[in-house]
Amino acid sequence: MRRDMAATVFTIANQKGGVGKTTTAINLAFGLARRGVPTLLVDLDPQANATSGLGFEKEAGRSLYGPLHGEGAAADKVLATRQDNLFLIPSEVDLAAIEIELGQKDDYLVQLREVLKPLVEGERFGAVILDCPPALGLISMNSLAAANHLLIALQCEYLAMEGLSQILSVVEQLKQAGVNERLTVGGIILTMYDVRTNLSRQVADEVRKHFPTLVFDALIPRSVRLSEAPSFGQSIFEYDALCSGAVAYGKLAGEMAQRFSLQSTTHT
């Protein structure tokens, strides 16, 4: 099926680690692909957890390090995965150097956008998901400059709102500076929700109160199965398709497809 529009680019960024960001990147990308949306997951974290979480080894020369230095094209780094419609640009440790090296370039905030432009404007993908390091450094800032929408993975725990206000402030600064005027907060994904605790319910209620139109209905549970799946190099859909985590990410993928009009290329 021929596509005639650019891919929608999402970045999953958060300055706080341990919020389920990479778990969400892997399983959301996988969930969209299962729905027939051609999806590219770009691992921008030097730790390469999204790469290993999909069963790929870290391999020298496979990341976007070269293209970000003008050596080769991003398209050459795209790998097919086990799942139809899901593709990956992996990461490796060399991306750690990018934080320093990008700052030495002109227009250092838009380097990633230019590198990804041929893939985004082509007809191959409907969605591009950028998984960032757990810090608002130059890689994360580049991802925000390249994206249409920011997806915030928000842990249902104490002080969650504090980190949320910081990243929302960064979005406004980038827009006001003219770096990416099209960037919007596409949604807030509530992660590590524990139905047994009052705290999880209170955080979820508070976030929904302040951002009623942004919070997705799907609640991503605190789940041992979700924690185990990456160590087997599998998405939650492969590891345990019937568990609560798989159900939640399946629901989230459906909400995403509807909210952003992501088109399936699968004929039914």
Side-chain angles (χ1 to χ4, degrees):
M1 180 176 176
R2 184 177 176 84
R3 297 183 62 257
D4 58 359
M5 59 190 297
T8 304
V9 183
F10 304 93
T11 185
I12 304 180
N14 198 317
Q15 74 277 16
K16 188 174 184 296
V19 298
K21 179 179 60 62
T22 296
T23 297
T24 294
I26 293 171
N27 292 304
L28 176 57
F30 209 99
L32 288 174
R34 290 175 79 236
R35 298 181 68 87
V37 179
T39 302
L40 173 64
L41 175 59
V42 182
D43 190 350
L44 295 171
D45 189 344
Q47 297 182 74
N49 290 332
T51 298
S52 60
L54 283 176
F56 290 87
E57 298 289 336
K58 298 179 186 178
E59 185 180 342
R62 292 304 310 177
S63 77
L64 283 179
Y65 180 85
L68 284 168
H69 281 282
E71 301 168 2
D76 298 332
K77 308 298 182 182
V78 176
L79 302 177
T81 72
R82 296 180 301 272
Q83 172 63 40
D84 290 345
N85 296 310
L86 179 60
F87 300 85
L88 170 73
I89 294 181
S91 181
E92 52 157 324
V93 70
D94 62 3
L95 273 185
I98 283 293
E99 289 287 353
I100 298 172
E101 296 168 4
L102 278 178
Q104 300 169 0
K105 292 177 175 286
D106 294 333
D107 299 326
Y108 60 91
L109 287 178
V110 298
Q111 296 296 311
L112 179 64
R113 182 167 68 198
E114 293 305 309
V115 164
L116 293 177
K117 190 174 182 179
L119 290 174
V120 172
E121 294 185 349
E123 298 176 345
R124 187 175 179 184
F125 303 111
V128 176
I129 295 177
L130 310 177
D131 183 38
C132 300
L136 289 178
L138 284 184
I139 292 178
S140 293
M141 297 297 281
N142 262 260
S143 78
L144 289 168
N148 301 104
H149 307 290
L150 166 65
L151 301 177
I152 302 173
L154 190 70
Q155 188 177 13
C156 291
E157 293 191 358
Y158 187 61
L159 295 180
M161 295 289 285
E162 187 176 283
L164 179 60
S165 62
Q166 182 180 351
I167 197 165
L168 292 176
S169 175
V170 170
V171 169
E172 285 306 310
Q173 290 173 25
L174 287 174
K175 293 172 70 171
Q176 292 176 12
V179 175
N180 186 1
E181 295 177 354
R182 67 182 179 174
L183 179 65
T184 73
V185 178
I188 298 171
I189 303 164
L190 297 176
T191 64
M192 301 185 178
Y193 182 83
D194 190 340
V195 68
R196 300 167 300 178
T197 68
N198 287 331
L199 180 59
S200 277
R201 290 192 292 271
Q202 289 168 0
V203 171
D205 290 345
E206 188 73 8
V207 176
R208 291 188 191 282
K209 177 182 175 181
H210 283 84
F211 307 98
T213 63
L214 289 180
V215 181
F216 288 98
D217 290 335
L219 288 169
I220 309 303
R222 181 177 291 279
S223 163
V224 172
R225 306 300 276 172
L226 281 173
S227 300
E228 291 173 343
S231 65
F232 291 89
Q234 295 181 337
S235 73
I236 193 60
F237 300 102
E238 299 167 293
Y239 186 65
D240 188 348
L242 299 180
C243 74
S244 61
V247 172
Y249 276 114
K251 180 177 180 180
L252 177 63
E255 287 187 76
M256 283 279 295
Q258 182 175 18
R259 183 177 294 193
F260 300 104
S261 300
L262 301 177
Q263 299 299 311
S264 168
T265 59
T266 302
H267 295 287
T268 56

